[in-house]
Amino acid sequence: MLLIFDWDGTLSDSKAKITKAMQMAASDLGWEPLADHLIHDIIGLGLPEAIQSLYPSVRIEDRVRLRDAYATRFLMLDEARPSDFFPGVKETLWALKSQGHILTVATGKSRKGLDRIFGVLGLGDFFHATRCADETASKPDPLMLQELLVEFGVAADEAVMIGDTEYDMEMARRIGMPRIAVSYGAHQIGRLHAYEPALCLDRFDGLLAWDGLIIS
């Protein structure tokens, strides 16, 4: 089965770091940092789209300045202490791979950012394929999912999107792909129920018990 995972908030416990980096970047520019919950709302979007959502009235050139400041701050924080996986993630991914599933990532991160993290974590070629927001369309546009389906010759109903935000759920719903929501990420699980997920997980390793995991 083709399994498509979001990264931040689903596999990686990075919500607090993303929030802090955005607040620090705003302070660097002399802006009033936004409240945590406002930043949580944009986690999962590509960075340009996230900043535009947070600061819709700010000039384009100033949004670019914030983007650069955020990238600098996030890198500083992540190099000091790389984000951990959520409990059970590493073991579950290995189990799924050993069972013959195709493991992929669809993330709002940039290609440079994801590749750097893969290098730090020693993941290398662990995932069969990945898609990043700066090389395709940002969530909730389903383009990155459609590209993965084409790459592996899989129909939408033979794959599943696993994520923690409305953006993950929405892009999967748009193309009729089953979706699994996790309750521990950026968006409250109540917000995800409206997208009719096939499963809601309080722990990532609960995925192994899902009866939809059929090798196709």
Side-chain angles (χ1 to χ4, degrees):
M1 188 173 194
L2 174 58
L3 306 178
I4 307 172
F5 301 100
D6 169 60
W7 187 263
D8 293 303
T10 300
L11 302 181
S12 177
D13 187 4
S14 50
K15 179 175 72 173
K17 186 176 297 178
I18 291 170
T19 303
K20 185 175 182 180
M22 188 63 74
Q23 292 167 337
M24 293 173 74
S27 294
D28 289 342
L29 270 58
W31 302 357
E32 183 70 22
L34 296 176
D36 290 6
H37 73 276
L38 296 175
I39 300 172
H40 296 169
D41 272 349
I42 55 81
I43 293 175
L45 295 175
L47 187 54
E49 292 80 8
I51 291 173
Q52 184 173 2
S53 178
L54 289 173
Y55 298 96
S57 62
V58 169
R59 297 179 303 170
I60 293 176
E61 54 266 38
D62 288 330
R63 292 203 296 265
V64 171
R65 291 173 57 217
L66 181 63
R67 182 192 66 194
D68 293 343
Y70 169 83
T72 298
R73 285 298 190 175
F74 185 86
L75 182 60
M76 178 192 74
L77 293 172
D78 203 55
E79 285 183 335
R81 183 175 181 180
S83 299
D84 293 326
F85 284 126
F86 285 105
V89 165
K90 187 180 298 184
E91 299 82 1
T92 301
L93 291 175
W94 277 107
L96 292 169
K97 191 168 186 178
S98 69
Q99 292 170 6
H101 296 288
I102 302 171
L103 308 187
T104 67
V105 171
T107 177
K109 285 190 173 299
S110 68
R111 170 54 58 191
K112 180 179 179 181
L114 185 64
D115 285 350
R116 182 190 65 80
I117 290 172
F118 278 7
V120 170
L121 297 176
L123 289 174
D125 296 326
F126 179 83
F127 291 96
H128 296 89
T130 59
R131 288 295 187 279
C132 297
D134 62 343
E135 61 192 7
T136 180
S138 173
K139 302 174 185 179
D141 189 302
L143 182 58
M144 61 176 70
L145 299 185
Q146 292 168 323
E147 290 176 350
L148 290 168
L149 293 176
V150 170
E151 181 171 346
F152 294 100
V154 173
D157 60 0
E158 297 173 324
V160 63
M161 175 71 213
I162 302 100
D164 69 308
T165 69
E166 292 180 345
Y167 313 123
D168 299 314
M169 301 296 104
E170 173 63 18
M171 69 174 182
R173 184 171 69 174
R174 287 187 190 182
I175 60 172
M177 180 181 292
R179 44 219 168 262
I180 291 175
V182 302
S183 65
Y184 49 76
H187 291 180
Q188 294 290 328
I189 191 64
R191 296 171 59 177
L192 308 187
H193 286 158
Y195 297 87
E196 299 180 299
L199 183 68
C200 294
L201 298 175
D202 293 325
R203 280 184 54 95
F204 187 81
D205 51 14
L207 180 58
L208 294 172
W210 182 45
D211 59 11
L213 280 179
I214 301 172
I215 302 295
S216 60

